[in-house]
Amino acid sequence: METLHKLKKFAKSREKAYQIANSMEAGKMNAISRINRVADFFADKSEAAQLRAVAQVEQDILLILPDPRSRYAKLRQRMLDLIQQSRGL
């Protein structure tokens, strides 16, 4: 459950950041909605299945990652760590 919680929290925070910055683009919006949709689908699955879900939306995560120099650098690193963890399966 922890994996999908991180994923949904990430998507929500990026959506809010884009809304505040007024820089929401169609590609970013689609990536956020796909992450949320996949997270909802895998909500009641095992931890291993949830990590496979992360692998499914990896490109979407990479599309909306914050800049490494931004104040959200820790969030970026957590998501990169989650992607690495999903590749370890």
Side-chain angles (χ1 to χ4, degrees), residues 5 9 26 51 68:
H5 179 70
K9 186 175 179 182
L51 284 173

Side-chain angles (χ1 to χ4, degrees), residues 4-19 24 28-29 31-37 39 60-61 64 75 79:
L4 293 183
H5 179 70
K6 288 179 188 177
L7 203 56
K8 288 187 82 158
K9 186 175 179 182
F10 168 70
K12 186 174 183 175
S13 70
R14 296 311 301 153
E15 182 177 20
K16 191 169 203 154
Y18 290 135
Q19 287 173 347
M24 186 61 82
K28 292 175 183 176
M29 190 64 174
I32 290 168
S33 66
R34 182 159 187 256
I35 289 170
N36 284 325
R37 197 170 48 249
D60 297 315
I61 294 170
I64 63 173
L75 178 63
M79 286 298 106

Side-chain angles (χ1 to χ4, degrees), residues 3 12 16 27 31-33 39 46 52 57 60 66 68 82 86-87:
T3 301
K12 186 174 183 175
K16 191 169 203 154
I32 290 168
S33 66
S46 68
R52 284 192 292 276
V57 293
D60 297 315
L82 191 60
S86 74
R87 288 180 179 170

Side-chain angles (χ1 to χ4, degrees), residues 33-81:
S33 66
R34 182 159 187 256
I35 289 170
N36 284 325
R37 197 170 48 249
V38 168
D40 288 339
F41 180 79
F42 284 93
D44 58 347
K45 308 290 190 226
S46 68
E47 190 68 26
Q50 291 179 9
L51 284 173
R52 284 192 292 276
V54 171
Q56 286 183 7
V57 293
E58 178 179 342
Q59 291 302 316
D60 297 315
I61 294 170
L62 294 175
L63 178 67
I64 63 173
L65 274 178
D67 189 80
R69 299 171 305 223
S70 75
R71 63 182 178 184
Y72 301 108
K74 289 181 183 178
L75 178 63
R76 175 188 174 88
Q77 190 56 49
R78 280 195 301 257
M79 286 298 106
L80 291 174
D81 292 343

